[in-house]
């Protein structure tokens, strides 16, 4: 709603001065919205899958509450394998899968598939690090009270890691902003598509610069919000 | 209450075997405060963790109220742990929970209905004197307050045993005393058996009924705290006692020779008084009764748990016969005497 209204206002304002370039503000706003939408959904999906993976990675480690060397090794290898594929190649490799899931490999909805799949192993490692920061003493204390593994995960590992996990969300979302621009080049929509088709293919350097500035603002915004969110959680506990 | 039989623990780290506990035998009685003292790395931390099976012993067994904990399955072990409270050096409170919710934590684990649990938490916070801090997060508390929360938390499921893992080692001496007083009160009021480990002889002196000295993975001495204080049986025990009672004699005095003619000799003695005799004028009686001279080098009176405990280092000068008679007199009156040096 807000985007639409602002777009119209700016359009009417700029129509007089920009002439044939009058389409640009509306297009940029729409592309920005598409990018935010892709990043938001794929961040959410990657955490829904990545968080449990991180918990498995941590708790199946040697000496931990669900020690299982086999699961740990296999999962670790899979995560590493996905992380070692460059995103641009993953994007192409996943086209058939995207078609099966979404029905098409073009557009913002289709981009969410490779973006999420690329982010899941990243999130798994990121959250793993957050959880490992927790002092073992807390886990030991819970064990000494007779807690089972699930109680430790739910009542100790997750709540204690929240401030750090939240910072990780910002890092992931910022990464996904970058990835979404790459997906845009392959017809994924958003600011990437705009920059590529207009800024690069049609030599509209102005459009290119506008998308760069919008991306810059977007990234700053995500970082500021992430840091504020984390600080909020921490300061509540002080 | 607790019976430990031939307990050994070997760590297997990187192909290298490390012996953490060697053939430990120990009995802790119902209702006592039992201390285990040792230097860091002596094995005390492993020992206390074997009792609630946070560490699995390599051999041997541990009976708690007759039940062998080393044979328990996971389910039984969890139920047992709910009945063994534990407090820690670094408190280990959850930063994501308020003081109230931290104490609530073990009750949630045990599945206690919320209403009953909330009431219990209220009582416990009152017991440890932190009712006004219920809504506060641990970060805002001092070390002593954090440990009080830890104690309240450990008592939540009405344990049969409280394990204290260096609970006062991160606290200043004054706070240590107040925490030990709280533990003694709990021991007295609830009849709760407490097993504590420490490297601080003051903790043993202030709080414990009995003590085991652990050195190099073995228990080297077990006994009543008072008898170990007055008559330490091993060099390790002696060195721990010396950390709080100044028994070191300056070299000059130790090697000074005051023998000026054949029949007059000197003896350097350490005399320990326990309980009632600490209040009697035995020294002056001795000096009047036997013709010996005394040179007092060091004296101190302290309290071991609730009993006065004094100790005096003195040099007796006189004929050998009279000195021996004087020493016998002191022994007959219940004093412990240790001859520090012979000519």
């Amino acid at each position: 709603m807000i985007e639409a209204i602002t777009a119209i206002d700016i359009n009417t304002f700029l129509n007089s001065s920009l002439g044939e370039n009058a389409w640009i503000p509306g297009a940029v706003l729409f592309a920005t919205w598409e990018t935010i939408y892709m990043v938001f959904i794929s961040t959410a999906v990657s955490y829904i899958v990545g968080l449990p993976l991180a918990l498995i990675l941590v708790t199946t480690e040697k000496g931990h509450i669900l020690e299982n060397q086999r699961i740990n090794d296999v999962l670790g290898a899979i995560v590493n394998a996905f992380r070692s594929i460059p995103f641009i190649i993953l994007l192409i490799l996943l086209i058939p899968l995207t078609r099966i899931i979404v029905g098409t490999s073009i557009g913002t909805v289709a981009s969410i598939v490779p973006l999420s799949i690329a982010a899941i192993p990243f999130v798994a490692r990121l959250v793993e690090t957050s959880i490992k920061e927790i002092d073992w003493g807390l886990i030991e204390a819970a064990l000494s009270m007779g807690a089972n593994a699930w109680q430790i995960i739910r009542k100790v590992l997750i709540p204690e890691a929240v401030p750090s996990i939240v910072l990780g969300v910002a890092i992931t979302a910022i990464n996904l902003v970058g990835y979404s621009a790459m997906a845009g080049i392959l017809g994924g929509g958003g600011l990437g598509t705009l920059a590529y088709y207009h800024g690069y293919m049609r030599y509209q350097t102005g459009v290119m610069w506008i998308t760069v500035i919008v991306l810059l603002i977007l990234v700053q915004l995500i970082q500021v919000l992430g840091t504020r969110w984390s600080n909020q959680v921490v300061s509540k506990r002080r | 209450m607790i019976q430990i039989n031939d307990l050994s623990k070997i760590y297997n780290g990187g192909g290298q075997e490390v012996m953490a506990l060697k053939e430990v035998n120990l009995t802790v009685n119902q209702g006592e405060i039992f201390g285990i003292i040792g230097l860091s790395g002596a094995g005390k931390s492993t020992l206390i963790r074997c009792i609630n099976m946070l560490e699995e012993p390599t051999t041997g067994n541990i009976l708690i109220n007759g039940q062998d904990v080393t044979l328990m399955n996971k389910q039984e072990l969890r139920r047992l742990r709910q009945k063994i409270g534990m407090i820690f050096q670094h408190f280990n409170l959850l930063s994501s929970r308020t003081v109230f919710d931290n104490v609530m934590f073990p009750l949630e684990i045990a599945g206690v209905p919320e209403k009953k649990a909330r009431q219990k938490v209220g009582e416990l916070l009152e017991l440890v004197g932190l009712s006004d801090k219920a809504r506060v997060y641990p970060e805002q508390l001092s070390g002593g307050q954090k440990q009080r929360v830890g104690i309240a938390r450990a008592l939540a499921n009405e344990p049969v045993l409280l394990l204290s893992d260096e609970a006062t080692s991160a606290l200043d001496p004054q706070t240590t005393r107040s925490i030990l007083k709280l533990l003694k009160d709990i021991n007295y009021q609830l009849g709760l058996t407490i097993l504590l480990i420490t490297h601080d002889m003051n903790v043993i002196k202030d709080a414990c009924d009995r003590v085991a000295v652990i050195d190099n993975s073995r228990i080297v001495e077990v006994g009543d705290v008072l008898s170990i204080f007055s008559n330490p049986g091993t060099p390790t025990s002696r060195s721990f006692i010396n950390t709080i009672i100044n028994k070191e004699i300056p070299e000059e005095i130790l090697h000074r020779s005051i023998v000026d003619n054949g029949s007059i000799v000197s003896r350097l003695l350490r005399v320990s008084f326990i309980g009632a005799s600490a209040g009697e004028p035995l020294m002056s009686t001795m000096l009047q009764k036997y013709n010996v001279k005394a040179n007092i080098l060091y004296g101190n009176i302290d309290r071991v748990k609730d009993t006065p405990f004094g100790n005096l280092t003195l040099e007796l000068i006189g004929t050998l016969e009279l000195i021996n008679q004087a020493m016998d007199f002191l022994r007959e009156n219940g004093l412990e005497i240790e001859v520090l040096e012979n000519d």
Side-chain angles (χ1 to χ4, degrees):
Chain A
M1 267 298 269
I2 294 162
E3 281 85 3
I5 292 165
T6 331
I8 291 161
D9 284 351
I10 293 171
N11 272 339
T12 34
F13 165 72
L14 291 173
N15 256 338
S16 47
S17 53
L18 287 177
E20 62 174 22
N21 288 332
W23 62 273
I24 294 175
V28 169
L29 276 174
F30 184 68
T32 306
W33 159 247
E34 280 187 323
T35 297
I36 291 171
Y37 170 78
M38 282 190 291
V39 168
F40 185 82
I41 302 283
S42 40
T43 304
V45 172
S46 63
Y47 270 84
I48 289 167
V49 184
L51 187 81
L53 289 182
L55 288 165
I56 296 169
L57 279 171
V58 175
T59 55
T60 56
E61 256 190 10
K62 191 169 159 54
H64 217 288
I65 53 175
L66 291 171
E67 177 174 346
N68 189 322
Q69 202 61 51
R70 212 196 182 103
I71 292 178
N72 193 271
D73 288 346
V74 171
L75 189 62
I78 295 172
V79 166
N80 289 344
F82 271 90
R83 290 202 65 199
S84 64
I85 305 170
F87 180 65
I88 196 83
I89 294 168
L90 192 71
L91 212 52
I92 298 161
L93 284 175
L94 287 176
I95 287 174
L97 181 72
T98 308
R99 282 211 182 105
I100 294 168
I101 297 173
V102 188
T104 171
S105 64
I106 289 174
T108 45
V109 179
S111 294
I112 289 168
V113 175
L115 285 175
S116 302
I117 289 175
I120 286 166
F122 178 75
V123 168
R125 288 294 185 208
L126 208 57
V127 176
E128 182 192 16
T129 319
S130 297
I131 295 170
K132 277 187 176 167
E133 283 167 18
I134 300 169
D135 184 357
W136 178 256
L138 295 183
I139 297 159
E140 194 177 46
L143 285 172
S144 82
M145 294 170 206
N148 60 33
W150 176 236
Q151 286 169 325
I152 291 175
I153 289 171
R154 221 179 34 168
K155 293 171 188 283
V156 180
L157 298 186
I158 297 175
E160 289 294 313
V162 161
S164 171
I165 290 175
V166 165
L167 284 177
V169 172
I171 295 172
T172 307
I174 287 169
N175 261 347
L176 283 172
V177 170
Y179 282 180
S180 79
M182 279 191 240
I185 291 169
L186 292 188
L191 290 164
T193 303
L194 187 69
Y196 184 66
Y197 284 103
H198 292 274
Y200 179 67
M201 305 278 263
R202 298 186 195 169
Y203 304 106
Q204 291 167 318
T205 324
V207 176
M208 183 81 94
W209 280 112
I210 291 169
T211 57
V212 169
I213 289 163
V214 172
L215 285 171
L216 199 132
I217 294 168
L218 204 57
V219 167
Q220 292 287 354
L221 206 65
I222 293 169
Q223 189 59 63
V224 168
L225 288 176
T227 309
R228 190 177 295 177
W229 185 12
S230 174
N231 287 344
Q232 214 166 31
V233 176
V234 173
S235 69
K236 205 194 115 216
R237 296 174 179 182
R238 284 208 173 116
Chain B
M1 172 79 223
I2 309 175
Q3 201 180 336
I4 299 172
N5 301 314
D6 289 324
L7 187 78
S8 292
K9 169 78 185 177
I10 298 162
Y11 286 108
N12 235 325
Q16 218 175 348
E17 287 196 343
V18 181
M19 182 74 90
L21 290 174
K22 192 156 190 212
E23 289 151 26
V24 170
N25 287 286
L26 212 58
T27 305
V28 177
N29 301 322
Q30 175 68 44
E32 72 178 342
I33 302 183
F34 191 98
I36 298 171
I37 188 165
L39 297 170
S40 51
K44 57 190 190 301
S45 185
T46 307
L47 179 56
I48 201 169
R49 278 169 177 71
C50 283
I51 289 164
N52 59 2
M53 293 288 284
L54 288 175
E55 293 279 358
E56 218 168 304
T58 312
T59 57
N61 59 38
I62 300 166
L63 305 178
I64 297 180
N65 287 333
Q67 282 183 298
D68 189 345
V69 300
T70 59
L71 300 177
M72 287 184 175
N73 64 32
K74 280 189 171 180
Q75 184 76 35
E76 291 170 322
L77 211 51
R78 278 204 293 273
R79 213 164 294 146
L80 172 85
R81 285 172 178 169
Q82 287 170 11
K83 285 289 173 194
I84 300 178
M86 191 167 188
I87 54 176
F88 303 88
Q89 179 174 7
H90 298 296
F91 326 118
N92 295 345
L93 302 177
L94 295 173
S95 67
S96 54
R97 288 173 172 241
T98 59
V99 165
F100 191 94
D101 290 340
N102 262 289
V103 182
M104 191 83 165
F105 185 41
L107 295 162
E108 287 171 22
I109 288 170
V112 175
E114 194 180 326
K115 204 178 158 197
K116 202 177 153 206
R118 299 191 77 83
Q119 192 190 334
K120 182 78 192 167
V121 174
E123 291 168 17
L124 287 164
L125 289 179
E126 192 138 332
L127 176 74
V128 299
L130 284 177
S131 299
D132 56 327
K133 300 282 184 196
R135 295 275 146 240
V136 157
Y137 282 86
E139 195 115 350
Q140 286 168 276
L141 301 178
S142 68
Q145 289 171 327
K146 283 181 190 169
Q147 198 56 286
R148 284 170 186 271
V149 179
I151 292 169
R153 183 175 72 171
L155 296 177
N157 281 317
E158 290 164 5
V160 294
L161 169 67
L162 180 66
L163 303 176
S164 164
D165 176 19
E166 297 270 12
T168 56
S169 298
L171 304 174
D172 60 62
Q174 201 179 338
T175 313
T176 295
R177 275 194 293 277
S178 81
I179 292 293
L180 291 177
K181 183 174 180 301
L182 177 62
L183 290 177
K184 281 193 281 186
D185 287 348
I186 288 162
N187 165 258
Y188 181 74
Q189 284 172 21
L190 311 175
L192 181 63
T193 311
I194 299 176
L195 176 66
L196 63 84
I197 64 169
T198 183
H199 62 257
D200 180 0
M201 202 63 192
N202 280 307
V203 171
I204 302 287
K205 186 192 81 181
D206 289 346
C208 296
D209 300 302
R210 289 201 303 141
V211 61
V213 181
I214 187 167
D215 185 27
N216 214 352
S217 315
R218 292 165 188 269
I219 302 279
V220 292
E221 191 167 1
V222 184
D224 201 70
V225 173
L226 269 174
S227 60
I228 289 203
F229 260 85
S230 55
N231 193 14
T234 61
T236 317
S237 314
R238 206 177 304 257
S239 74
F240 275 119
I241 291 164
N242 286 346
T243 58
I244 57 168
I245 297 172
N246 181 12
K247 286 181 167 178
E248 301 291 333
I249 312 295
E251 285 285 304
E252 312 84 78
I253 293 172
L254 205 59
H255 295 299
R256 181 183 58 171
S257 171
I258 61 140
V259 183
D260 32 37
N261 73 59
S263 63
I264 303 293
V265 295
S266 78
R267 281 284 182 278
L268 207 53
L269 307 179
R270 172 154 56 223
V271 182
S272 307
F273 317 73
I274 300 169
S277 60
E280 284 170 31
L282 285 169
M283 281 299 139
S284 77
T285 311
M286 175 198 77
L287 293 174
Q288 280 168 12
K289 213 167 161 183
Y290 306 95
N291 187 19
V292 290
K293 290 186 174 121
N295 180 20
I296 294 172
L297 300 171
Y298 173 81
N300 156 288
I301 190 152
D302 206 341
R303 209 167 258 280
V304 173
K305 201 156 189 205
D306 297 312
T307 312
F309 173 78
N311 100 84
L312 190 64
T313 305
L314 71 157
E315 187 178 35
L316 289 185
I317 304 158
T319 64
L320 192 59
E321 199 191 343
L322 282 173
I323 288 176
N324 285 337
Q325 282 174 11
M327 279 162 57
D328 287 341
F329 168 80
L330 294 179
R331 284 202 188 94
E332 278 160 21
N333 282 282
L335 304 191
E336 285 288 341
I337 293 179
E338 190 185 346
V339 179
L340 296 178
E341 180 235 21
N342 276 311
D343 280 338

